[in-house]
Each structure stands twice: as structure tokens, then as C-alpha cells.
Amino acid sequence: MTFSLGLDIGSVRVKLALIDDTDKVIQLDSEKITSNPTAAVNSLIARLGEKVSLEQIVSAGVSGSGKGIIPKELNWADYSSPLSIAAG
């Protein structure tokens, strides 16, 4: 089974959605940003490891004011918040 991952990195919270290859929502999660956005993203990704292997994630996208923390080398899709809402 493969998965798609979406992150919305805002100024207060990071939100995560994991969807399987049948478009079923597997996990919705969020983390309050207390020290920095990277720590919140790392915490959410670590919790994903409880349900799915990171190698099973075949696509990923990011939106929000903090989306710049995701390295460009990862080749994640980059979405504006209005486009993300419309696509969702």
C-alpha cells in the first residue's frame, strides 16, 4: 500500500493528513508550534512511523506560512492555502 502526505505549516500549528492509495484518510494529526516549526514537523513525522513506513509515502505536499522549512531537495509539491482548500 502507498500513501500521500500533506502538511499545512502555519504560524501556530502544523497539521498533517495521510491518505492511502484508495483515497481513504488514514491519519489526521496536528502539533502546536512551541519552540519552532521544524520541531513540530519532526514530531508529527515521528508519530507517522507508528502506522506507516516512510518508504510507503509516494507523494507529499506542503502549504502554509511555514512551508519554506521543507527542503526543496525533497521535491514536495508546494501549494498556496486557497489552492489546498479547493483541492481538498
Side-chain angles (χ1 to χ4, degrees):
M1 179 168 286
T2 60
F3 301 92
S4 295
L5 174 68
L7 287 178
D8 177 49
I9 306 171
S11 59
V12 176
R13 295 193 82 75
V14 178
K15 294 159 289 292
L16 174 146
L18 183 70
I19 300 168
D20 71 11
D21 50 13
T22 65
D23 294 331
K24 179 180 174 190
V25 175
I26 300 301
Q27 183 169 339
L28 296 175
D29 202 354
S30 70
E31 180 82 17
K32 185 173 172 126
I33 298 170
T34 54
S35 59
N36 63 59
T38 302
V41 168
N42 288 340
S43 179
L44 287 171
I45 298 296
R47 289 200 296 264
L48 266 184
E50 300 168 3
K51 290 191 175 189
V52 62
S53 164
L54 294 181
E55 291 79 26
Q56 292 175 284
I57 298 173
V58 296
S59 65
V62 63
S63 67
S65 61
K67 64 186 173 186
I69 69 166
I70 302 298
K72 296 291 181 196
E73 297 80 27
L74 292 179
N75 293 320
W76 285 26
D78 181 352
Y79 296 100
S80 67
S81 293
L83 180 58
S84 297
I85 292 168

